[in-house]
Structures are given as C-alpha cells and as structure tokens.
Amino acid sequence: DFQMALNEVHPAFGVSEEELEQVIQNGIIHYDAVIEEILKTGQLFVEQVRTSTRTPLVSILLHGPSGSGKTALAAYMAQASEYPFIKLISPDFMLGYGEPQKISAITKVFTDSYKSPLSVIVLDNIERLIEWTPMGARFSNGVLQTLLVLLKRRPPKGRRLLVIATSSLRPILTDLGLSDTFDSELRVPPITDLVSLEYVLQEVQLFNSDQERHRAIRMLQDAGFTANKNDYDSKLQIGIKKLLSMIEMARQEPENVAERLTTALMGLGM
Amino acid sequence: DFQMALNEVHPAFGVSEEELEQVIQNGIIHYDAVIEEILKTGQLFVEQVRTSTRTPLVSILLHGPSGSGKTALAAYMAQASEYPFIKLISPDFMLGYGEPQKISAITKVFTDSYKSPLSVIVLDNIERLIEWTPMGARFSNGVLQTLLVLLKRRPPKGRRLLVIATSSLRPILTDLGLSDTFDSELRVPPITDLVSLEYVLQEVQLFNSDQERHRAIRMLQDAGFTANKNDYDSKLQIGIKKLLSMIEMARQEPENVAERLTTALMGLGM
Amino acid sequence: DFQMALNEVHPAFGVSEEELEQVIQNGIIHYDAVIEEILKTGQLFVEQVRTSTRTPLVSILLHGPSGSGKTALAAYMAQASEYPFIKLISPDFMLGYGEPQKISAITKVFTDSYKSPLSVIVLDNIERLIEWTPMGARFSNGVLQTLLVLLKRRPPKGRRLLVIATSSLRPILTDLGLSDTFDSELRVPPITDLVSLEYVLQEVQLFNSDQERHRAIRMLQDAGFTANKNDYDSKLQIGIKKLLSMIEMARQEPENVAERLTTALMGLGM
Amino acid sequence: DFQMALNEVHPAFGVSEEELEQVIQNGIIHYDAVIEEILKTGQLFVEQVRTSTRTPLVSILLHGPSGSGKTALAAYMAQASEYPFIKLISPDFMLGYGEPQKISAITKVFTDSYKSPLSVIVLDNIERLIEWTPMGARFSNGVLQTLLVLLKRRPPKGRRLLVIATSSLRPILTDLGLSDTFDSELRVPPITDLVSLEYVLQEVQLFNSDQERHRAIRMLQDAGFTANKNDYDSKLQIGIKKLLSMIEMARQEPENVAERLTTALMGLGM
Amino acid sequence: DFQMALNEVHPAFGVSEEELEQVIQNGIIHYDAVIEEILKTGQLFVEQVRTSTRTPLVSILLHGPSGSGKTALAAYMAQASEYPFIKLISPDFMLGYGEPQKISAITKVFTDSYKSPLSVIVLDNIERLIEWTPMGARFSNGVLQTLLVLLKRRPPKGRRLLVIATSSLRPILTDLGLSDTFDSELRVPPITDLVSLEYVLQEVQLFNSDQERHRAIRMLQDAGFTANKNDYDSKLQIGIKKLLSMIEMARQEPENVAERLTTALMGLGM
Amino acid sequence: DFQMALNEVHPAFGVSEEELEQVIQNGIIHYDAVIEEILKTGQLFVEQVRTSTRTPLVSILLHGPSGSGKTALAAYMAQASEYPFIKLISPDFMLGYGEPQKISAITKVFTDSYKSPLSVIVLDNIERLIEWTPMGARFSNGVLQTLLVLLKRRPPKGRRLLVIATSSLRPILTDLGLSDTFDSELRVPPITDLVSLEYVLQEVQLFNSDQERHRAIRMLQDAGFTANKNDYDSKLQIGIKKLLSMIEMARQEPENVAERLTTALMGLGM
Ligand SMILES: Nc1ncnc2c1ncn2[C@@H]1O[C@H](COP(=O)(O)OP(=O)(O)OP(=O)(O)O)[C@@H](O)[C@H]1O
Ligand SMILES: Nc1ncnc2c1ncn2[C@@H]1O[C@H](COP(=O)(O)OP(=O)(O)OP(=O)(O)O)[C@@H](O)[C@H]1O
Ligand SMILES: Nc1ncnc2c1ncn2[C@@H]1O[C@H](COP(=O)(O)OP(=O)(O)OP(=O)(O)O)[C@@H](O)[C@H]1O
Ligand SMILES: Nc1ncnc2c1ncn2[C@@H]1O[C@H](COP(=O)(O)OP(=O)(O)OP(=O)(O)O)[C@@H](O)[C@H]1O
Ligand SMILES: Nc1ncnc2c1ncn2[C@@H]1O[C@H](COP(=O)(O)OP(=O)(O)OP(=O)(O)O)[C@@H](O)[C@H]1O
Ligand SMILES: Nc1ncnc2c1ncn2[C@@H]1O[C@H](COP(=O)(O)OP(=O)(O)OP(=O)(O)O)[C@@H](O)[C@H]1O
Ligand SMILES: [Mg+2]
Ligand SMILES: [Mg+2]
Ligand SMILES: [Mg+2]
Ligand SMILES: [Mg+2]
Ligand SMILES: [Mg+2]
Ligand SMILES: [Mg+2]
C-alpha cells in the first residue's frame, strides 16, 4: 500500500518530524526491488552506528538523476531509525543566506547532534547547498570545505552520528574532492521499464479500471517503450517525482488520460 | 478583435493588476493557432493546481526568441486564472538592487504567496533576473540558486502555487542547471509566414483598405518572403513585439507605408 | 554653412542645453548625403514618439568607428526634437563613480524623464558607461544589466520616451546581449573619399584660396588616396573628429599645411 | 598488540592530549614493516631537533592516499616525542573561520610554540587548511602563503621546533610552491596485499576463529586479490581507515561477514 | 652641453617645478637627431593648444622601451611650454593608494587644470598608473577607464589643455582600448649605434682622454657592436637611463672602465 | 673558518642587527670561488652608491634556486656596507598582514631610509612578499606594483639607497614586469660538485677524521656524483641550506653518517 511506509514510523522526541514528512508527502511506492534493497542497506547502517564502538561516524550518499526519489528515501531511512536526534539540512531553509550564514547553520546542526548519544542527519541536495552551477563550474567553496570537514569529523567520545546525504552530482564528486568522503554510496535509479511504471499507475489509481490501465500500457509499448529494464536502448528514463507530476497533469483531461501520458513521456526524450 | 482578450478577464482581490496590464498593453492578437494552444495548455495547468492534491507546486516555462510575446502570454494566463494571489516578478522593479536585495525581493513574493490558498507567480525574464550576459558567461549565481530552490520548494500544507516563468535562454538552460526544474516547457515562436503577418496588419489597421494591405503583402512576396510557415528557408523571423514597433514606424510616412515595412523587414536578416 | 545647424534649434525649458552644445561645439558639416539621411531618420523617430500611442518607448543606436561624429549627431537630433525633457547621459559626468552610483545616476535620468509627457535621452558612449576594455573583455555587468532593463522598460501610461544611444561596440553587441535591444540602428561612417574631405577643408577654411586647396587635394591623390568612396581599397579611413584635429595641427605650420596634412593622413594607415 | 602504542606514551604538561588521542582512537596496527620504519624515522627527527644546534627548525611531511593513516601516525610521533609543547593544528577546529581568522589561529600556535624550548606541531590535512578543491583548482592563497612562511621561519634563539605535516596533495605540491618546503617527506602507503589485510583482520578480531579468517582470505584470493604487495596489478588499494570502517560494516551481518567484506573490497575498484 | 637644456627653461607660477626637475636630474643629452625632432614636435603641440580655438584638448603619447628617456623628455616639453599650470601625475606619488583614491587624485589634477586658461599635464608611466602586469594581464580597469574618459573630455569653454603621456605599453594599447585616444604618438627609441653611445660617453666624461674613449669604442666594435643605427642586426639596444647607470658602475673601477662597460653591454643581450 | 664572516662586520647605529644575524646564523662558508665573486660585486655597488652622484638609487637582485644562500649573502653584503641605515624587509615579519598593511609596511621602510644619507635595504624573498603561487599564477598585484614603483623611485636630493633583493622567481621575472627593474642581477648557484661538497663537510666537521670524510666522498662518487662542476650531467644539485640540514640529520646516526648522507642526496633527484 502506497501510504503504508509512513505510518509504520514513530519518531522519538527532538525530531524535526514535520519537515521530514513534508518531503515524503507522496509516500514510498515499492515499484521495484531496488527500493527495498536501498532501504535495507540504510537499515544496516542505522544498526552499525547504534552498535559498533569503532565507527562513531558513518556517512552514506544517495545519488541518482533528478527526481529519482533520493530525498524521500533518505528522509524515510532517517525517520525509521527512531534515533532521538533526527534533523534535515535542506537548501529550502537557507534561502537568502550568505555563505557564512550557511556555513554556521550547517555546522550548528552537527554540533547540536553531538549532544545526543545517537543522531542521524539528512544532508539533502549537496549541489544546492554548495550553490553548484555547471555554467563556469561555479560553487561556494566555503560551504564545500565545511561539508568536507564535517563529513569526516568524529563526534566526541560517546556520541554517534549517521549522515545520509543526497546528490545528483555523482559524476563530478571526484572533481569536487568529495570522492573519498563517504563510507558508502547507494544509487537511486530512475524508472526505465513499463512493469515499474504500471505498478506506479496502479498505486496512484490514475485509471478507473485495470482494463484502461492495460490499454495505456499497450499504447506506451506501441510508442516504443519496452517492458524490460535491462534493455539498454530503453527510451524510458524518468524519475518517480516527475512521473507523479505527469500523472496529475494527465488526470486533468479524464477523456484523454492515456494519450496525454504517452505524449508527455515521449516529450522527455527530445 | 484585438482588444478582446483583456476585457474577458476579471482579476480577483490582492492582485497586482496594473503591472500585469502594463505588459499586455497591446493586447493578444490571435495571428496563429499556436497562440490558442499555448493559452489552453496554460489553462490546464491552472486547473491542475486548483484541483489535484498531489501537485501543490507546478512550474512552467514560456521560452522563445526575443519579443515573441512571452511576457504578454504569461501575464494573460495569470490574469485568466482568477486566483486570489497573482504577482509579477520582473527585473523592471529591481533596478539598482544588489544581489542580496534581489534575492530577498524574489523570495518575499514566494513567501507571500504561501499565505493564499491558490497563487500564481509570473517570473518574467529569467535572463535579466540572473543578470545574464553572454560575454564571459556572467550571471548572478546567488539569484540563480535562489530560483533553483524556489522553483522546487513545495508550499506549506494546504497552499498551492503555479509559477509561469519566461525566458529566451532555452539554449543554455542545461548549462545553468535549470533543465530539470520545470514541469513543462512551452515554446512561443516568432512569426515566420505572411498569413500570420497579414492577420496582424489587419488587426492593427495599418492600411486604410484591404486593397492596400494586399498590395503590401504582394510586395513582401516579391521581396522573397513566403506564405508557408513550414518553409524552413523562410526569410521571415520576427517577434510580434518588434513587428508592432515596425508597423508604428511605417505609419509615420503615410505615403510610403508598404515600402518602409518591406525595407524594415528585409533589414532584419542582415 | 558650418555653424548653421545649431542656430536653427531652440530647445524648450528643462533641457540640459549647455552640455549638449558642448559636444557639438564644432557644428555639423554636411560633407556627405549620409549625414542628411541620418538626421532625417532621427526626425522620423522623434515624430513617431510624439504621435503613435502604441510605441511609447523607442530606442535607436548610432554606431560607427571612433570619432565618426556619433555624439554630435545624437545631441543634434535631441536638440532638434524640441521635447520638453532632453538629457545627456555621458561618462564625462560620472568620473570616480562606483558601480552603484553609476547605476543610480543613469536610472535617475530615466525616472526623471517619466515625469515629462515627451522626453529624449542621449545615452552617450555605451562602451565607457559599461567600462568596457577589450583586454580580458572586462566591463561592469551591473551597468550593462541596468541599460538592458532601462532600454526596454516602458514609461508609465501617458509618458513617451526616445532614447538615442551611441557606441563603437557594434561588433560585440551580440556578445553583450544588446543585439535585440534597439528598435533601429544607424551607422555613422568615417570619411573615405576625397570629395568629402575637400568639403570639410573648405568649410573650416584651412587654405586661403581654392587654388591652394586644390593643390593639397592633388597632393593627396598623388599619395594614393582616391576620390571615389565606393572604392573598397580606399586608404582613407578617418573620423570627422580626428580630421578636424589634424587640420588644426597642420594650421600651425602655415608654410607647410598641405604637406603636414598629407603626412598625418598617411600615418593613420600604419 | 593493537592498543599497545598509545599506552606507552606519557605526554608532558601543556600538551593538547585529548585532541591527539581522538585521532588515534583506533590505535596503530603494525600490519607492515613500513609502519615501523615511518615511526622510527619520525623518532630520528625528534632526536635531531632535541640535540642539533644548527637545525632549530625541522619540518617533515607525511603524505599518502586518503585514509592511509597519516594523521594517526603524525599524532603518534608527536605524542611519543614527550616534548613540553605538543599541538595539533586541524581544520576540525576552524569550521566557519574566515581566511584572516584561520591565518591568525595557525600563526598563534607557532608563536606559542616559540615560548617552549622544545615544541612539536602537527599540521594536519594541509589540503583542508588551504581549502583546496580540484574543481577549478581553488584554494585559499592567504593560508597557503602563511604556511609557506611559517614552515621556513626559524624560531627565536634557543627555541626548537619540529613540524609534522600531513597531506594527500603530494602530486600538486610543486604547483602550490610547497615542494622545497619540507626537510623530509615520508610516504604512508595504502594496504595492497592480503598478508597485511589478514594481520588487520586478526587484530580487530572480526572472526571468531582462525579458520573463519582463513576462509575469508581464500575467498578474497578467489576474487582476484593477491598476497604479494609488490604485484603492481594488485587490485587491492585501501587505506587502513576505510578498511576499519568496512570491517565494522561487515560485522553487522554475523552470518555473512566474509561475503560482505569481499563485496565491499571489490566495490572499491569500480 | 649636457646641462644646458634645463637652464633655458623658466617655469611660471603654479607649477610643480621641483617634481619635474627631479625627473630630468641628469639633463637631456642630444646624442641623436631624433631627440631634437621629438622636442620640436612637442613644441608644435604646445603652440597649437595656445593658439587654435577648435582644439582645446590635445593629447600626445611618448612611447618606447624601458629607460629610453620618455619621462625626462615629457617633463622637459612641459617645462618648456611655460604655461601657467604644469603638473606631473606620477605613480611615485600614489604609493599605497587604493583604486578609488588613485582615480580621485588623477581626476583632481585634471579638474584643477580647468581653472587655468592654459595647462599641461604630464601623465607619466601609464602602465604603472593602471597597475599593469603581463602575468595574467592584470590591471586596474577603474583607473584605465578614468584615463580613457579624461583623455577625451574637453575642458570647459575658454580653457585649454595639453596632455603628454608616457608609456612602454605601445604593443598592447589596442587591447586596452587606448589606441584611438591620442592625437599623436611619438616614439622614443633606445640607443642602437656606437656613434650615439660615444656622444654620451663624451658628455658624461667617463674617460679622461679622447684616446681612452676611442679605445673603448674600438673594444666595443671588436665585441660586435656596430656604428650604423640602421643595421637591424645591431646587438646594441639600450635605454639612455640604463646606459647612464652602467657608466657609473664602470666608473667604480678606474683601471678597468672600458672592460667593465663592454661586459655590461654584452650582458644585456642574454 | 666558517664563523669568520660575521665577526668581521661591525654594523653602525640604527641598524636592525639582530634580524640580519638571524638569517646568517650558520655563517658563510666559502666552498667555491663564486661566493667570493658575488660578495665582491656587492661591495662594488656599495661603493658606487657611496660615491657616484649620478646614481642615488641602485638595485640588485640575488636570484637562484631554493636554499642556495641568497638571503644570507644579501644580509652579509648589507651588514658589510656599514651604512648608517640597514634594514631587512622579510615576509617573516608580515604574517597575517592584509595587502594594504603589507604595502604600507614595505613603503615605510623605504620612506624611513630617505632620512639617512646612505641606506641599504634587503628586500628578501620577493615571491613570498607578493604571495606568489604557481598554481593559477596567483599573487598580490598590489604588492608587486608597490615594489615596481619603489625599486625605481629616486630618493630625495642628497639621499642614496642601495636595494638588495632576493628571489627564486628569475624564470618569470619578465612575466611579472620585473625584468627591467634591477640595475644588476647576480646568480647564486646551488652546489653541483663534490669538491664544494667536501669543503662544506670539512667546515662543519661532520666527520671526526679526514679518512672518514674521504670515505664518504668516495661513496658518493660510487653513487654517481661527479667532482667536476662543469659536468652538465651532474646529479648533484643542492642548495647550501638543505645540505646543512641533511648534514645535521646524518649526524644523528653516528654509526651510519656516510650512508645516510648518500641516501639523502640520492633521494633529491627523485
Ligand atoms: N519508491 C520511491 N522512492 C522515492 N520517492 C518515492 C517513491 N515512491 C513515491 N515517491 C515519491 O516521489 C517523490 C520523490 O521526490 P524526491 O524529492 O524524493 O526526489 P529527489 O530525487 O530528491 O528529487 P531531486 O533530484 O529534485 O532532489 C516524493 O514525493 C515521494 O513521496
Ligand atoms: N499573440 C500575442 N502574443 C503575445 N503578445 C502579443 C500577441 N499579440 C500582440 N501582442 C503584443 O505584443 C507584445 C509582446 O511583447 P512581450 O514583451 O510580451 O514579448 P517578449 O517575448 O516578452 O519580449 P522579450 O523577449 O523582450 O521579453 C505585447 O505588447 C503584446 O501586447
Ligand atoms: N557631419 C558631422 N557629424 C558629426 N560631427 C561633426 C560633423 N561635422 C563636424 N562635426 C564635429 O566633429 C566632431 C565629432 O565628434 P564626436 O565626439 O561627435 O565623435 P564621436 O564619434 O562621438 O567620437 P567618439 O568615438 O570618440 O565618441 C564634433 O566636434 C562635431 O562638432
Ligand atoms: N598502522 C596504522 N597507521 C595509521 N593508522 C592506523 C594504523 N592502524 C590503525 N590505524 C587507525 O586507522 C585510522 C587512520 O585514520 P587517519 O585519520 O589517521 O587516516 P588519514 O590518512 O589521516 O586519513 P585522511 O586522508 O582522511 O586524512 C585511525 O583511526 C587509526 O587509529
Ligand atoms: N636625450 C635624452 N632623453 C631622455 N633622457 C635623457 C636624455 N639624455 C639624458 N637623459 C637622462 O636619462 C634619464 C632618462 O630616464 P627616464 O626616467 O626619463 O626614462 P624612461 O624612458 O621614462 O624610463 P622608464 O621606462 O623606466 O619610465 C634621465 O635621468 C635623463 O635626465
Ligand atoms: N656560502 C654561503 N652562502 C650562503 N649561505 C651560506 C653559505 N655558507 C653557509 N651558508 C648558510 O646557509 C644558509 C643559507 O640559507 P638562506 O636562507 O640564505 O638560503 P636562501 O637561498 O635564501 O633560501 P630560500 O630559497 O629558502 O630563501 C644560511 O643558514 C647560511 O648561514
Ligand atoms: Mg531531492
Ligand atoms: Mg518579456
Ligand atoms: Mg562620442
Ligand atoms: Mg588525516
Ligand atoms: Mg618613465
Ligand atoms: Mg631566502
């Protein structure tokens, strides 16, 4: 069930619950086994931080193309940890901050976390935090350096911290000097096969009947999309986030839902 | 009728009506079917935001060459929404602002919009807002980053927002990191065929008789302009805005209107 | 007559007359038909702004090589308009201004103009206003962006504005993002034929007799300069401003006027 | 014994003991002869500074890939010196400092050291101190210049100072102008052979029996890792720091320890 | 006579006499006809400014290699003008000035000059005023722009100004946008023939007898230096300034004067 | 004798004696004739400044590879002058200074010198003063420009100044615009032959007997080092400063002195 994920989680005191829920507003849909794997690996790290005394700091990176669900998955893992300290660092809360303000806001969350025996920090959207733009390869070196230090600085004795970062900058991590920073990296892929797509369509009840949904899928097959996700020629390449947005758009024209969806998905490749 | 568009719209309270009217001062002329299509798509997004609970934020981009009518169409869509909150963000109101002032002015409009259940923001002229110049590829990264965040930040629970942005920067959106930002992109093309041109001439009554107008069109055909807009060799490539300006220039010499118009249009290609 | 131009103009109240006269101190010499054409086109735009309700803002650019007479012609057009508001924006008045001061000084002139029903602004020497230098392609992006906005911002309802800009940056307007900014562009060419040159010599009475002048022209012909301005191999390429300066230099040696002029003109090509 | 190192050291008064212990929390494991050699060379420099009057300032650099153990070894050498003044300069303590603050903090430690007859300063992580990032080759030149001066400035008469710096920037030291700065450079290599690896596994007691450990090593051999560290095709290339982190991760799944370790080590090469 | 130049000049009131004399401390030696020509041309411009009403502003540039005598010649011309206002703008007086201070100091001299009916300003060493360095082509654009404006800004009615600038930047004037700025450019060449050299040696009485001097010249000929200044293979290329300095050096070893001079001159080519 | 140099010098009042002695702490060892030559040339310039009225300002540059002895030789020359004003300008005294502070500190020393009839200034380590770094060719243009002016600005009438600068930037002096700045340049070479090396070993008494020293030299010969300094294939290339440091290192292992020295010297080439 598509709302199930959230309800299973009961975060403890001192947690920025509202902010986390905001980013998983549309729930986690299990359209593919990879989602389960990612969540399970996250759980393992949560356990490692809780139990191993030799690794008081563990940092992992969720990376993948735009809209593939990184933020939602990171927030979900954080909530599921049930640690007493759970915080989201997001560019959304730092609009208009100058570089020094950003640096001190980010640093403060880490310093605060050192007061709790067990903490998890979601460091969302590294590219936006460092104000990255491909044009001229510009970014805030000050924020980047702060992250480079914070992601390696051990918490004080007796404190443990898990950092879950998200980014779509994987291709240039090395150039930014971030390649050796994380203990582990997990890829969050886009949807590339019709089986996953159909699963999503069903979950969000875009169509009133199975029949209509099947018809839409056939229409997509006719348009050249393939069911097999290992097919490297697959024309389908869409993040769950954009897919959900397209579905709502299509919903506006009840008489033409399948056509509009097909057109929208085909428009992506261009 | 060339003034009809505006009069059909009755904007609600809390709307910056005057500013919007200013940019559609010369009305919307329906010289081609594409204008209708653009306006209709805009209407669909207006409805989606009004009705779908899963997409509280929708952002679209009107792009096209200089003077093709982007700002007027965006303003028209916004007015037609009849949402309680309609605002125009334009570089015209930010002359002499430093980067931090610009950032906070833009952010404020978004924050204000969160107080209304339904809002539409026209984000006009992205290239000027980010102070883009091709020479040295300079721009304000601070403003760009602010837009990147605002265009993706969900409004608080129960609030919904439609953003209609305009820009002629389409070719470099990817380099600016803006390519995955919009839910949809609509192209506003320039006028490239004589049929559209003649429609405009008629609407603005440049000539006193149909005869004179036909003569002018023939003169243009003789000069090598073609009637067919699918003709890729078409020498005609002019935004509605510049066309209207040329028409007024030609009007100054009543005895030579057709000649002057032809000369002006031929001068463009050089 | 070489002083005639100025005396025909009677500017109205509120006009920065002194500054304008300063830049046309040496009058307008009608050495070629192109001068007449430029002035007449200027007059047409003056009329358009005065009469057409659909184009409350018209901006034109006088461009050409260094010293070709751009500033003098722009100032002349402005004075001849007899609009109630006539202002010159020139880098001469902004020495030592920082970028923000420059921006606000320029903006103020435009804002002031909005108080008059009819205004003309001479925006002199765009390259200097934006502090352009070819070395490293440096310039003030802040000032450039201000110009880009001001040159397109419509005056408030009922106000009309004509902007006459001058620049020798034509070759890089596109790189600066200024190419679609002006409603019209007029080229002010340098002097390239001996007929024009002789006209000037006569006007400023460099020689005491026609004979002497003819002798000088022959000397120039012998030196390889041609009478025909359509001759693309013409070695002559000189702005009226530099020519007037050379003439004064030559005047210093009464016994050698023709020789000195020839030498000076030949030195240019090197 | 894997905790032995630390307990043998009894630092004198005025020493930042806690900070130093923090960075060698996991002790020094003698998995290879090179560790002994590095420590012995360090000891020699400690003696030279203590005894030779002609070299009151000696600076050495520990360099090597990320996580190879540079910081821990430098801190160990410093503690082992038993000098009255032992200080750690680390980017961890300078988060949010601007360039001038950083410069003065670093300078202060050196100036303080001049008050003690014998001092050792660990200058940890030069790349982070100078805020180096490969992207655009950005760094703080102010901090770099400060280091260039401090690393060569002789202490006042009667004072002696040993500086132990760490860095993974060896490949670009020359470009930074740092190549002639150090009296000696010591390479801290990563682990590249299974013998060293097995030594570490034994020390940290990842497996409950020798049998299980042997099985894991065989599994790694089957996966293509070689025992011989002089084998240049060795797929193994891992810093002791990351290895210890992977071991803890593997420990989470008691039933699959060997498999998880193998997978993790193989993932590095990709 | 080598001190004659100075004594012939009697500057009027309001002149910064001391500063000017400082830079021509070693007088003007007439080692070649070109010196006379330069001075005479300067005199012509002085006359033009004094007499012609159409050119109230004349600016000339003395350019040439390092130490060729530009500053001394410019100062000499200025003094010889006997104008009531004579000022030297030199980087020597602006040490430690920031860009805005420099700009206002330079501007002030020009503004002051407008109070005198006749003024001459020596604008010494443009490259230093704009803080030019070939490495990275760095310079102060603010100062450059100020010069670009001041060198073209007409003095108020009834005021006349001659600007004599010096620079060794001739090769990059175009890149700096300075190429059309000066009414005239005069080259100050280095010494390239033995005849000029011998003239200088005689003037400064390096040798006690003609015989000794002749011997030195022969020694130089043997070393490959040629007497003919039109010989393009000439190895001799030395500014009068450096030559005078070498002569003083050679004077220190009375027994070896000729040898030392030859060695020094030969060292230049390397 | 290796301490002899210093004791022969008796600096006059107003001299920063302590600072100068600090930099020649290890004395001047006359390991090669070139040292004598350099010092003698220095003496000649000291005399020239003292005696010649035509050259009140003389500036020379000691350049050479890192640690070749530039600073010590410059300080020695300055002390030996016995001028009433002797000052050392060194980056060591300017740690943490911003650009303006640096500029004013440097300028002050020059201005102070103008109060003494005879002055010598050691301008040590130009590369550090201008904060040069090869990476990105960064440096402080402000400090560079200050040096460019100060190194050419004549002291006031009756004052004389000798500037002895040191730098290892010789290869890029031209790019920095410093190539025509100095009246003379002296190269301070590194040690490249075993004869010089042995001389140094003897002076600092590394070995207890001639026999042991001879054995060490033979060991070096066997390792491929050659006695002949004109041998361009010479593997030996070491500054006296680093050599002295290596010697002290080797001294730590009395049983292995020769071996350690050989290893250290061989390590340089890599
Ligand atoms: N399996 C899933 N994984 C992640 N998100 C899911 C999943 N199923 C549904 N969603 C929904 O999809 C959306 C994913 O958006 P999210 O912001 O997490 O993507 P993102 O990769 O962080 O995007 P961006 O690249 O813009 O940062 C959320 O609204 C989430 O509730
Ligand atoms: N069909 C139309 N679409 C858009 N504008 C129209 C249309 N018909 C007439 N107009 C008029 O044309 C002008 C279009 O100018 P507008 O400023 O909108 O163009 P633009 O593409 O935003 O220009 P720019 O690239 O300079 O921002 C307006 O004055 C508008 O009233
Ligand atoms: N026909 C003419 N057109 C323009 N200027 C003329 C003409 N005849 C004479 N003049 C005189 O020539 C001079 C032209 O100089 P002006 O400053 O206008 O040139 P410019 O092109 O603006 O130079 P710059 O490129 O330096 O800005 C003025 O003094 C003007 O009085
Ligand atoms: N032989 C060893 N040498 C160094 N460190 C060891 C050794 N054995 C165990 N360790 C442990 O391994 C870790 C080495 O981490 P350390 O921070 O010193 O590496 P580093 O090279 O400085 O990393 P980075 O490149 O991130 O700065 C420490 O926790 C240390 O206690
Ligand atoms: N014919 C001459 N022309 C110029 N200077 C001369 C001449 N004869 C002697 N001198 C002396 O030579 C020196 C020339 O130095 P000056 O500073 O003028 O050269 P410069 O070209 O300005 O040098 P720089 O390129 O460093 O600015 C002065 O001391 C001047 O007195
Ligand atoms: N002949 C010599 N010349 C110079 N220095 C010598 C000589 N003999 C011994 N020394 C000693 O060698 C050292 C030379 O170091 P110095 O700092 O002068 O070198 P440097 O070239 O300035 O180094 P750097 O390139 O780092 O500035 C000094 O300690 C000095 O006492
Ligand atoms: Mg995200
Ligand atoms: Mg627009
Ligand atoms: Mg002009
Ligand atoms: Mg480290
Ligand atoms: Mg000079
Ligand atoms: Mg030195």
Side-chain angles (χ1 to χ4, degrees), chain E residues 67-225:
Chain E
S68 61
K70 302 173 293 294
T71 302
L73 291 171
Y76 183 81
M77 285 177 191
Q79 277 197 326
S81 76
E82 298 196 301
Y83 282 6
F85 185 97
I86 308 179
K87 275 279 181 188
L88 174 63
I89 295 179
S90 156
D92 280 14
F93 317 145
M94 301 193 194
L95 272 170
Y97 282 27
E99 192 181 80
Q101 282 170 286
K102 250 187 194 163
I103 289 172
S104 94
I106 295 170
T107 306
K108 187 177 182 317
V109 176
F110 277 79
T111 313
D112 286 355
S113 81
Y114 299 156
K115 290 174 199 148
S116 162
L118 272 179
S119 306
V120 60
I121 293 174
V122 174
L123 192 70
D124 193 34
N125 214 338
I126 291 185
E127 53 270 39
R128 240 7 18 84
L129 288 173
I130 66 168
E131 310 211 336
W132 165 257
T133 181
M135 177 76 76
R138 291 168 66 174
F139 60 96
S140 156
N141 194 30
V143 175
L144 174 60
Q145 297 295 330
T146 303
L147 296 183
L148 283 168
V149 171
L150 285 172
L151 284 165
K152 289 198 145 192
R153 186 168 72 165
R154 296 180 155 230
K157 205 172 277 180
R159 307 311 190 195
R160 296 176 189 171
L161 173 60
L162 173 64
V163 181
I164 310 175
T166 81
S167 174
S168 57
L169 283 187
R170 187 67 198 74
I172 56 160
L173 282 199
T174 304
D175 287 344
L176 287 170
L178 273 163
S179 53
D180 288 315
T181 308
F182 298 99
D183 290 293
S184 191
E185 301 184 4
L186 306 177
R187 175 148 201 271
V188 183
I191 291 171
T192 54
D193 62 303
L194 289 182
V195 176
S196 298
L197 189 89
E198 183 167 11
Y199 189 96
V200 174
L201 295 181
Q202 189 164 0
E203 283 291 319
V204 299
Q205 298 168 351
L206 177 62
F207 297 99
N208 296 324
S209 66
D210 285 4
Q211 219 171 318
E212 286 183 50
R213 200 179 60 245
H214 293 324
R215 209 194 113 246
I217 294 296
R218 267 197 306 279
M219 197 182 288
L220 286 165
Q221 278 174 326
D222 294 349
F225 294 109

Side-chain angles (χ1 to χ4, degrees), chain A residues 106 123 126 129-130 143-152:
Chain A
I106 294 171
L123 192 69
I126 291 185
L129 287 173
I130 66 169
V143 175
L144 175 61
Q145 296 296 330
T146 302
L147 296 184
L148 283 168
V149 171
L150 285 173
L151 284 166
K152 287 199 146 191

